[in-house]
Amino acid sequence: MTIAATRPGAAPVPPGGAPNGTAGGRPSRTLTAVYVAGAVTALGTQMTMLALPWLVLETTGSATRAGLVLAAQVLPMALLGFAGGEVIQRLGARRTMVVSDLARAPVVALIPLLQALGALRPAVLVAIVAALGALAVPYHAAQRVLAMELLSPHARSLTRANSALEGVQYGSAFAGPALAGALIPLVGTTSVVWLNAATFAFSGLLLLRRVPAGGGAGGPGAGPRGLWAGVRHLCGDWFLSRAMLSTVVFGLMLRTLMITMPVLAFARFEGDPRIGGLLFAALGAGGLVGSVTAYVLAARVAPVRLACTALVCVALPLWALLVPVPAGVLVVAVGLSSAAAPLANAPLMGLLSARLPEGFGPKVLQAVVTISTLAGPLGFLAAGAVLDRAGVAATLWGVAALATFGSGNLILALRRLRATGDADRPGPPPRSRRGRRPAAGATAPTPVRPAGRGPSS
């Protein structure tokens, strides 16, 4: 990968364009293709998040089966998440994305095809959806690894790339279900699923055509071995371990907030569903606005400073939820906190990526994605129990406290990172079991650090 492979005094030049490591530099055509492919895939996936359960309801009328279909799509991440790093390491990031897209296209096309033939049984649909979930496991981490390989290793460049990828996810989550809801009455549910198959095919072919083989600085095969190598590296690096602690806390906080918002609207505003809808809309719209803002500010504000400021803005507005204020104030508070999340996450992911030694990207980034995903179900379960036993007010106290702890922990870690001047440096590879650094030529070589590094703020 670029971080360790760069020669001292030389900045990598991505294929198809100018260097992306300069602050404010335009992304190359190759990197733009990665963004577009990710956006198209994410949009199609989010459309099927509505279309598939809708199809089940149309054909069976069973809400239980509709929920089972959604669960089958998410479950592979929990069961196979850490194996995704092995896939990226063996195939390479570009090939992983291409294989994932081109394999999912015919699999998802089976759904409307079998439906037309009258052969789509509930068990078959669950199996198809589970296969789609399994094929998607390494995709998001592979996106970030490929972006790292096409960029210079500086945290500002990686911050812009991660803000763009965050914007893709927030934008698709905001537009995908709405577009599916508009198209289903016009063209039918199965036509929307056909469209999803087309998005996968388009994305895979775009990557094949616009991202040349070996276009990044990294390649398959390099890096640490073992299913848990990414987790071990996270635990062995003081900054990354602190960052992952806050990631888990924020995951619990966000899911608790999501399940509390409709209860808050019901209890405080006489069961007005419009308030609940506005609070959820504020989450999506705030995240999208924050991603766009992060992309702009990444060229102008040092990553550590941007992350610290944003982390304060994640936690502070949530304390307003404890006060009996008008609904409009709550919507603004939720929107501000949601907008600040990608403003913090983009530079944090950039700093994390810049800190990785050569070959560690696939395992570590897949571990980050998997741990973040696993925090979700735990948050929903914990929030439901707290709401039943302690009520809305106590749950909102927990939301604000979790956000404050997560932000404070990261701010302290970032200030230490800035004080040590390590904000743009790869961290050391983990020690072996005997307490020694791996020797040259081992699976975890000590990285060659790029010239011209320094504090990020």
Side-chain angles (χ1 to χ4, degrees), residues 9-308:
V13 180
N20 288 287
T22 57
R26 291 185 178 182
S28 67
R29 292 181 180 179
T30 305
L31 190 59
T32 300
V34 176
Y35 295 157
V36 173
V40 172
T41 294
L43 182 65
T45 301
Q46 289 297 327
M47 289 172 67
T48 56
M49 292 296 288
L50 176 65
L52 289 181
W54 200 270
L55 179 63
V56 174
L57 292 172
E58 285 179 336
T59 54
T60 69
S62 172
T64 301
R65 289 178 177 175
L68 183 62
V69 167
L70 288 176
Q73 194 166 3
V74 178
L75 188 61
M77 178 58 76
L79 299 177
L80 306 174
F82 293 108
E86 289 283 339
V87 175
I88 301 171
Q89 188 178 70
R90 292 178 184 277
L91 298 183
R94 171 189 175 271
R95 189 180 300 174
T96 297
M97 294 178 67
V98 170
V99 169
S100 177
D101 278 331
L102 295 184
R104 282 185 288 174
V107 171
V108 76
L110 284 174
I111 296 173
L113 180 61
L114 293 175
Q115 175 68 8
L117 296 174
L120 187 63
R121 303 289 182 263
V124 174
L125 178 59
V126 169
I128 292 173
V129 172
L132 288 172
L135 290 169
V137 165
Y139 194 85
H140 298 298
Q143 278 183 315
R144 283 169 167 76
V145 172
L146 185 56
M148 288 168 57
E149 293 173 353
L150 294 170
L151 286 165
S152 73
H154 302 296
R156 290 200 188 200
S157 297
L158 297 170
T159 296
R160 297 199 85 191
N162 280 290
S163 63
L165 294 173
E166 288 279 316
V168 163
Q169 297 302 317
Y170 278 108
S172 62
F174 191 68
L179 183 58
L183 288 176
I184 287 173
L186 296 176
V187 300
T189 309
T190 54
S191 295
V192 173
V193 182
W194 277 116
L195 182 59
N196 183 207
T199 62
F200 287 136
F202 174 85
S203 175
L205 293 174
L206 178 65
L207 290 168
L208 273 176
R209 181 175 177 83
R210 295 295 184 184
V211 182
R225 298 297 180 185
L227 197 63
W228 305 102
V231 177
R232 288 196 298 269
H233 186 72
L234 286 173
C235 295
D237 184 293
W238 71 267
F239 176 72
L240 300 185
S241 60
R242 294 277 293 271
M244 283 314 303
L245 172 61
S246 287
T247 296
V248 172
V249 169
F250 283 133
L252 295 172
M253 179 275 294
L254 177 60
R255 273 64 179 195
T256 304
L257 178 62
M258 290 177 67
I259 201 172
T260 305
M261 286 193 299
V263 182
L264 171 64
F266 189 86
R268 195 181 292 183
F269 298 98
E270 300 179 352
D272 190 345
R274 294 173 298 178
I275 304 301
L278 286 173
L279 289 171
F280 274 107
L283 273 178
L288 182 58
V289 170
S291 298
V292 175
T293 306
Y295 188 83
V296 174
L297 293 182
R300 298 171 173 82
V301 183
V304 171
R305 186 177 304 169
L306 178 60
C308 287

